[in-house]
Short mmCIF file of all heavy atoms in Angstrom, two decimals:
data_model
loop_
_atom_site.label_atom_id
_atom_site.label_comp_id
_atom_site.label_asym_id
_atom_site.label_seq_id
_atom_site.Cartn_x
_atom_site.Cartn_y
_atom_site.Cartn_z
N LEU I 3 133.25 182.20 92.49
CA LEU I 3 133.27 183.29 91.52
C LEU I 3 132.02 183.29 90.64
O LEU I 3 131.37 184.32 90.46
CB LEU I 3 134.52 183.18 90.64
CG LEU I 3 135.88 183.42 91.32
CD1 LEU I 3 137.01 182.92 90.44
CD2 LEU I 3 136.08 184.89 91.63
N PHE I 4 131.68 182.12 90.11
CA PHE I 4 130.57 182.03 89.15
C PHE I 4 129.23 182.35 89.81
O PHE I 4 128.33 182.89 89.16
CB PHE I 4 130.53 180.64 88.52
CG PHE I 4 131.41 180.50 87.30
CD1 PHE I 4 132.76 180.75 87.37
CD2 PHE I 4 130.88 180.10 86.08
CE1 PHE I 4 133.58 180.62 86.26
CE2 PHE I 4 131.68 179.97 84.96
CZ PHE I 4 133.03 180.23 85.04
N ALA I 5 129.09 182.04 91.09
CA ALA I 5 127.83 182.35 91.78
C ALA I 5 127.56 183.86 91.71
O ALA I 5 126.43 184.29 91.44
CB ALA I 5 127.89 181.88 93.22
N GLU I 6 128.58 184.66 91.96
CA GLU I 6 128.41 186.11 91.93
C GLU I 6 128.22 186.63 90.52
O GLU I 6 127.44 187.55 90.27
CB GLU I 6 129.61 186.79 92.59
CG GLU I 6 129.74 186.53 94.08
CD GLU I 6 130.68 187.50 94.76
OE1 GLU I 6 131.89 187.25 94.76
OE2 GLU I 6 130.18 188.51 95.29
N VAL I 7 128.97 186.06 89.58
CA VAL I 7 128.88 186.53 88.20
C VAL I 7 127.49 186.28 87.63
O VAL I 7 126.88 187.17 87.02
CB VAL I 7 129.95 185.83 87.33
CG1 VAL I 7 129.75 186.19 85.86
CG2 VAL I 7 131.35 186.23 87.78
N ILE I 8 126.97 185.08 87.81
CA ILE I 8 125.66 184.75 87.23
C ILE I 8 124.56 185.61 87.85
O ILE I 8 123.66 186.08 87.15
CB ILE I 8 125.39 183.24 87.40
CG1 ILE I 8 126.31 182.46 86.45
CG2 ILE I 8 123.93 182.90 87.13
CD1 ILE I 8 126.31 180.96 86.65
N GLU I 9 124.64 185.87 89.15
CA GLU I 9 123.64 186.74 89.78
C GLU I 9 123.75 188.16 89.23
O GLU I 9 122.74 188.85 89.06
CB GLU I 9 123.83 186.74 91.30
CG GLU I 9 122.69 187.40 92.06
CD GLU I 9 121.38 186.64 91.98
OE1 GLU I 9 121.42 185.41 91.70
OE2 GLU I 9 120.33 187.27 92.19
N THR I 10 124.97 188.61 88.93
CA THR I 10 125.15 189.94 88.37
C THR I 10 124.55 190.04 86.97
O THR I 10 123.93 191.05 86.62
CB THR I 10 126.65 190.30 88.33
OG1 THR I 10 127.19 190.24 89.65
CG2 THR I 10 126.86 191.69 87.76
N VAL I 11 124.75 189.01 86.17
CA VAL I 11 124.14 188.99 84.83
C VAL I 11 122.62 189.08 84.95
O VAL I 11 121.96 189.79 84.18
CB VAL I 11 124.57 187.73 84.04
CG1 VAL I 11 123.82 187.65 82.72
CG2 VAL I 11 126.07 187.75 83.78
N LYS I 12 122.06 188.39 85.94
CA LYS I 12 120.61 188.49 86.17
C LYS I 12 120.22 189.92 86.55
O LYS I 12 119.17 190.42 86.13
CB LYS I 12 120.18 187.50 87.26
CG LYS I 12 120.29 186.03 86.84
CD LYS I 12 119.92 185.10 87.99
CE LYS I 12 120.07 183.64 87.58
NZ LYS I 12 119.78 182.72 88.71
N CYS I 13 121.04 190.58 87.36
CA CYS I 13 120.78 191.98 87.71
C CYS I 13 120.77 192.86 86.46
O CYS I 13 119.97 193.78 86.34
CB CYS I 13 121.83 192.50 88.70
SG CYS I 13 121.68 191.85 90.38
N LEU I 14 121.67 192.58 85.53
CA LEU I 14 121.73 193.33 84.27
C LEU I 14 120.49 193.04 83.44
O LEU I 14 119.86 193.95 82.89
CB LEU I 14 123.01 192.95 83.52
CG LEU I 14 123.48 193.86 82.39
CD1 LEU I 14 123.84 195.24 82.90
CD2 LEU I 14 124.66 193.23 81.65
N ASP I 15 120.13 191.77 83.35
CA ASP I 15 118.96 191.38 82.56
C ASP I 15 117.68 191.99 83.12
O ASP I 15 116.77 192.36 82.37
CB ASP I 15 118.82 189.85 82.54
CG ASP I 15 119.95 189.17 81.78
OD1 ASP I 15 120.64 189.86 81.00
OD2 ASP I 15 120.15 187.95 81.97
N GLU I 16 117.58 192.08 84.45
CA GLU I 16 116.36 192.59 85.09
C GLU I 16 116.31 194.12 85.14
O GLU I 16 115.30 194.69 85.56
CB GLU I 16 116.27 192.05 86.52
CG GLU I 16 116.10 190.54 86.60
CD GLU I 16 116.32 190.00 88.01
OE1 GLU I 16 116.30 190.81 88.97
OE2 GLU I 16 116.53 188.79 88.15
N GLY I 17 117.40 194.78 84.76
CA GLY I 17 117.43 196.23 84.79
C GLY I 17 117.83 196.81 86.13
O GLY I 17 117.79 198.03 86.31
N VAL I 18 118.20 195.96 87.10
CA VAL I 18 118.73 196.48 88.36
C VAL I 18 120.03 197.23 88.07
O VAL I 18 120.28 198.32 88.60
CB VAL I 18 118.98 195.34 89.37
CG1 VAL I 18 119.64 195.87 90.63
CG2 VAL I 18 117.66 194.65 89.70
N LEU I 19 120.85 196.66 87.20
CA LEU I 19 122.04 197.33 86.69
C LEU I 19 121.73 197.89 85.32
O LEU I 19 121.12 197.20 84.49
CB LEU I 19 123.21 196.35 86.59
CG LEU I 19 123.91 195.93 87.87
CD1 LEU I 19 124.77 194.70 87.61
CD2 LEU I 19 124.77 197.06 88.41
N GLU I 20 122.16 199.11 85.06
CA GLU I 20 122.00 199.70 83.74
C GLU I 20 123.31 199.70 82.96
O GLU I 20 123.30 199.85 81.75
CB GLU I 20 121.50 201.14 83.86
CG GLU I 20 120.10 201.26 84.45
CD GLU I 20 119.66 202.71 84.57
OE1 GLU I 20 120.51 203.61 84.43
OE2 GLU I 20 118.46 202.94 84.81
N ALA I 21 124.44 199.56 83.67
CA ALA I 21 125.73 199.75 83.03
C ALA I 21 126.77 198.77 83.56
O ALA I 21 126.85 198.53 84.77
CB ALA I 21 126.22 201.18 83.23
N VAL I 22 127.54 198.22 82.65
CA VAL I 22 128.60 197.27 83.01
C VAL I 22 129.65 197.90 83.94
O VAL I 22 130.08 197.26 84.90
CB VAL I 22 129.25 196.69 81.73
CG1 VAL I 22 130.54 195.95 82.05
CG2 VAL I 22 128.26 195.76 81.02
N PRO I 23 130.09 199.16 83.70
CA PRO I 23 131.08 199.74 84.63
C PRO I 23 130.59 199.79 86.08
O PRO I 23 131.38 199.61 87.00
CB PRO I 23 131.31 201.15 84.06
CG PRO I 23 131.04 201.01 82.60
CD PRO I 23 129.89 200.04 82.52
N ASP I 24 129.29 200.06 86.29
CA ASP I 24 128.76 200.06 87.66
C ASP I 24 128.97 198.70 88.31
O ASP I 24 129.31 198.61 89.50
CB ASP I 24 127.27 200.41 87.65
CG ASP I 24 127.01 201.88 87.39
OD1 ASP I 24 127.79 202.71 87.88
OD2 ASP I 24 126.03 202.19 86.70
N ALA I 25 128.72 197.64 87.55
CA ALA I 25 128.88 196.29 88.09
C ALA I 25 130.34 196.01 88.42
O ALA I 25 130.66 195.49 89.50
CB ALA I 25 128.37 195.25 87.08
N ASN I 26 131.24 196.34 87.51
CA ASN I 26 132.65 196.04 87.73
C ASN I 26 133.23 196.82 88.91
O ASN I 26 133.86 196.25 89.80
CB ASN I 26 133.46 196.34 86.46
CG ASN I 26 133.18 195.35 85.34
OD1 ASN I 26 132.80 194.21 85.59
ND2 ASN I 26 133.37 195.78 84.11
N VAL I 27 132.99 198.12 88.92
CA VAL I 27 133.53 198.96 89.99
C VAL I 27 132.88 198.61 91.32
O VAL I 27 133.56 198.48 92.35
CB VAL I 27 133.33 200.45 89.66
CG1 VAL I 27 133.70 201.33 90.85
CG2 VAL I 27 134.17 200.84 88.44
N GLY I 28 131.56 198.44 91.32
CA GLY I 28 130.86 198.12 92.56
C GLY I 28 131.29 196.81 93.15
O GLY I 28 131.43 196.67 94.37
N SER I 29 131.54 195.82 92.29
CA SER I 29 131.92 194.50 92.81
C SER I 29 133.31 194.51 93.44
O SER I 29 133.55 193.84 94.44
CB SER I 29 131.87 193.46 91.68
OG SER I 29 132.83 193.71 90.68
N ILE I 30 134.23 195.30 92.87
CA ILE I 30 135.59 195.34 93.42
C ILE I 30 135.66 196.23 94.66
O ILE I 30 136.17 195.82 95.71
CB ILE I 30 136.59 195.84 92.35
CG1 ILE I 30 136.68 194.85 91.19
CG2 ILE I 30 137.98 196.05 92.97
CD1 ILE I 30 137.52 195.35 90.02
N LEU I 31 135.13 197.44 94.57
CA LEU I 31 135.27 198.40 95.67
C LEU I 31 134.28 198.16 96.79
O LEU I 31 134.54 198.54 97.93
CB LEU I 31 135.09 199.83 95.14
CG LEU I 31 136.08 200.33 94.10
CD1 LEU I 31 135.86 201.80 93.83
CD2 LEU I 31 137.52 200.09 94.53
#
Protein backbone atom coordinates (compact mmCIF):
# COMPACT_ATOMS: atom_id res chain seq x y z
CA LEU A 1 0.00 0.00 0.00
CA PHE A 2 2.65 2.51 1.06
CA ALA A 3 4.69 2.02 -2.11
CA GLU A 4 1.78 3.32 -4.19
CA VAL A 5 0.85 6.08 -1.77
CA ILE A 6 4.35 7.56 -1.56
CA GLU A 7 4.73 7.52 -5.35
CA THR A 8 1.37 9.30 -5.64
CA VAL A 9 2.47 12.01 -3.21
CA LYS A 10 5.54 12.49 -5.42
CA CYS A 11 3.22 12.83 -8.44
CA LEU A 12 1.34 15.55 -6.54
CA ASP A 13 4.56 17.30 -5.53
CA GLU A 14 5.88 17.21 -9.12
CA GLY A 15 2.65 18.56 -10.60
CA VAL A 16 1.80 15.37 -12.49
CA LEU A 17 -1.35 15.39 -10.38
CA GLU A 18 -3.14 18.70 -9.87
CA ALA A 19 -6.00 17.45 -7.71
CA VAL A 20 -6.49 14.95 -4.90
CA PRO A 21 -9.84 13.65 -6.30
CA ASP A 22 -8.09 12.65 -9.54
CA ALA A 23 -5.63 10.57 -7.52
CA ASN A 24 -8.30 8.89 -5.40
CA VAL A 25 -10.72 8.10 -8.22
CA GLY A 26 -7.96 7.09 -10.64
CA SER A 27 -6.33 4.75 -8.16
CA ILE A 28 -9.57 2.90 -7.37
CA LEU A 29 -11.18 2.75 -10.82
